[in-house]
Amino acid sequence: MRTPRLLVAAATVTALAACSGGGAVDGHPGASGVRDPYFPKAGNGGYDVGHYDLVLDYDPEAEHLTGTATITARATRDLSAFNLDLKGLDVEKVAVEGRDARFNRAGQELTVRPADELDDGETFRVSVRYSGEPETITDPDDSEEGWLPTADGAVGLGEPTGSMAWFPGSHHPSDKATYDLAVTVPQGLGAVSNGELTHERTRDGRTTFTWHTAEPMSSHVVTVAVGEWETDRSTTDDGLPVYTAVDPRQADASRTVLKRIPEIVEWGEENFGPYPFSSTGAIVDRAEDAGYALETQNRPYFPGAPDTVLLVHELAHQWYGNSVSPKTWQDMWLNEGFATYAEWLWEEDHGGDTAQETFDALYDGTYYPDEAANESIWAFPPADPPDAAHISDSPVYQRGAMVLHKIRETVGDDAFRKLLRGWAAAHRHGNAGTGDFTAYVEKSAPDEDFSEVWEDWLRGDGRPGSP
């Protein structure tokens, strides 16, 4: 997993140069990975993606995907070669600026050498034509992502690196882009994705659904869900489009909770600031189709009908996790701690336990009926999971939320609500890490001392000596 990928990329480029007769080059190969502390091969160096145009055709019966990805990017250095993340699938052709490019495969790395080197600052387009049976990827924590076949189709889920199973790209949260995505499926099935549905056309027994996402999006929250859907379109009181797609077997169980989406979004705007995207909604699949819900951008994905608190959690991620995305996967608590604290605030505002009561129960070890679950909260600091297998463990969620509650205790309710809105605004459609957050908090309340919060609650080992 942690083989020095720069050496592999350099060896690949050397071999390609030898095949073409060699010759001096001015540029250098881009790095095959951005050296994320937990997923060092994720993403790629030397360029920044601006837009993905994905044209997909899926046959659920054969579980066969055909795709063409056209990626618009800007070189951030002189490039003789660059990498894309793509796991599995057969690559048939690669072109850069319309000219055939040599390419090589090594694990999840697709190394591309354009016919003409790319200059620092140059905007270029690379197109990749590919096909095959997409992989389901097993994460270090044994959960499954990537391309998951379902009872009536498939769903693409990307967190943390699964999107590379169905389209090539720079698959790290730090490289956001806009998207156009056209998916063709057998007539009678639907294909739901992020953003807004801009076109639907049926021809020769197959239907193409075209989706557009105008706001920057990290690839791990891109989705395509193929299957039978009952869809509903509405708007919030402020005119924000709401699009839901529900498996018919989940329609009755989902109807009441999904009608609360406008209410939850309005509540979120009061607490977190303006909703950051041009539409909202949800995708509800069958319970057996995936093992978890995911905050896919614009419309979260749920395996089975969610309850209200889970819907609040995933919609809160639209501000914290999707709009403000982590710099690295070590910053996962900035996604999950915020979304978990949103649950606490919702309960507090709607007749449930106060955030203080929830905090106290977690600290006292009475929150969960199982003793091991209560102890698991203190397994490691929320800002420092021990490895990739633990980035979605309890400390990241619950202890992450406890960090926010300690900040609230320090600054007071009014200043805390202002801080929540300010943080979402300061990094809207961008990326931020733990250091950015602690600096923001200290700048927002310069007269307060946060040393205990950072040392004991954010980075300290074990349960702090006092609540």
Side-chain angles (χ1 to χ4, degrees):
M1 290 280 300
R2 297 181 183 271
T3 301
R5 303 302 297 173
L6 280 171
L7 298 179
V8 174
T12 299
V13 174
T14 300
L16 289 170
C19 292
S20 61
V25 295
D26 295 325
H28 299 276
S32 56
V34 297
R35 300 301 181 264
D36 185 274
Y38 299 139
F39 298 93
K41 294 190 291 184
N44 296 285
Y47 63 91
D48 178 61
V49 178
H51 184 72
Y52 290 90
D53 190 340
L54 306 177
V55 179
L56 308 177
D57 190 298
Y58 186 61
D59 180 353
E61 185 174 346
E63 297 186 0
H64 187 270
L65 178 71
T66 300
T68 299
T70 302
I71 303 166
T72 303
R74 180 181 59 84
T76 57
R77 61 179 297 175
D78 293 337
L79 287 175
S80 59
F82 59 90
N83 281 29
L84 298 169
D85 301 317
L86 181 66
K87 187 171 177 62
L89 299 169
D90 298 317
V91 176
E92 298 155 10
K93 181 179 180 180
V94 179
V96 178
E97 287 298 288
R99 299 185 64 186
D100 286 355
R102 291 183 174 87
F103 62 90
N104 185 73
R105 304 291 300 277
Q108 71 181 52
E109 302 297 332
L110 169 62
T111 301
V112 178
R113 184 173 183 184
D116 297 313
E117 293 185 13
L118 302 169
D119 296 330
D120 185 5
E122 178 180 352
T123 297
F124 65 95
R125 288 188 178 183
V126 54
S127 63
V128 181
R129 193 170 66 202
Y130 58 98
S131 63
E133 182 178 338
E135 293 187 15
T136 296
I137 297 172
T138 301
D139 281 336
D141 65 359
D142 292 328
S143 62
E144 292 185 335
E145 55 171 299
W147 192 262
L148 308 179
T150 62
D152 55 356
V155 60
L157 299 177
E159 187 175 306
T161 62
S163 293
M164 66 180 174
W166 55 280
F167 70 95
S170 183
H171 292 303
H172 188 265
S174 59
D175 199 352
K176 292 185 169 186
T178 57
Y179 283 75
D180 283 295
L181 195 150
V183 190
T184 301
V185 295
Q187 186 176 356
L189 296 181
V192 185
S193 188
N194 313 86
E196 286 73 59
L197 180 64
T198 60
H199 191 66
E200 180 179 338
R201 183 187 68 185
T202 299
R203 179 181 296 175
D204 299 328
R206 298 183 68 77
T207 305
T208 300
F209 298 84
T210 302
W211 296 83
H212 175 68
T213 303
E215 297 90 3
M217 178 164 58
S218 296
S219 69
H220 73 278
V221 289
V222 178
T223 191
V224 171
V226 176
E228 298 176 358
W229 305 109
E230 289 188 10
T231 60
D232 181 78
R233 301 187 196 207
S234 61
T235 61
T236 66
D237 289 343
D238 292 335
L240 180 72
V242 180
Y243 185 101
T244 59
V246 182
D247 184 285
R249 296 187 182 187
Q250 297 295 321
D252 289 343
S254 302
R255 189 168 291 112
T256 298
V257 67
L258 295 185
K259 284 184 177 180
R260 302 194 74 174
I261 290 175
E263 174 193 357
I264 294 169
V265 170
E266 180 180 355
W267 174 86
E269 290 188 312
E270 292 173 357
N271 286 276
F272 314 137
Y275 183 76
F277 302 117
S278 51
S279 66
T280 189
I283 301 169
V284 181
D285 223 333
R286 304 183 193 190
E288 64 272 18
D289 286 340
Y292 52 89
L294 189 64
E295 63 270 21
T296 43
Q297 192 158 303
N298 300 94
R299 51 193 53 83
Y301 174 87
F302 300 95
D307 61 24
T308 301
V309 172
L310 180 58
L311 184 59
V312 168
H313 181 105
E314 303 302 345
L315 288 175
H317 272 310
Q318 305 305 308
W319 285 267
Y320 308 113
N322 294 3
S323 176
V324 184
S325 300
K327 276 186 176 178
T328 76
W329 288 110
Q330 189 170 9
D331 302 308
M332 184 79 156
W333 81 276
L334 288 171
N335 297 13
E336 301 302 346
F338 271 84
T340 301
Y341 201 76
E343 297 178 30
W344 300 9
L345 291 175
W346 174 269
E347 289 290 309
E348 184 173 83
D349 290 348
H350 292 82
D353 288 344
T354 66
Q356 185 64 55
E357 289 170 332
T358 302
F359 177 95
D360 290 341
L362 286 164
Y363 184 84
D364 294 339
T366 58
Y367 184 80
Y368 297 107
D370 180 67
E371 182 178 352
N374 286 310
E375 286 298 320
S376 70
I377 295 170
W378 313 109
F380 56 83
D384 192 20
D387 52 43
H390 293 85
I391 62 170
S392 295
D393 283 5
S394 179
V396 174
Y397 288 70
Q398 300 291 6
R399 191 168 167 186
M402 295 175 88
V403 170
L404 296 178
H405 191 72
K406 294 300 293 184
I407 295 171
R408 179 181 176 183
E409 285 185 336
T410 302
V411 302
D413 285 356
D414 291 343
F416 181 71
R417 300 290 177 129
K418 184 178 179 180
L419 188 150
L420 288 178
R421 295 172 64 92
W423 174 249
H427 295 280
R428 183 180 174 94
H429 300 316
N431 297 83
T434 299
D436 299 312
F437 179 69
T438 57
Y440 180 83
V441 171
E442 291 176 353
K443 183 178 179 180
S444 299
D447 296 330
E448 304 292 346
D449 181 8
F450 295 96
S451 57
E452 179 185 351
V453 179
W454 308 147
E455 293 169 10
D456 294 349
W457 293 91
L458 181 61
R459 299 190 178 93
D461 290 323
R463 184 171 66 172
S466 63

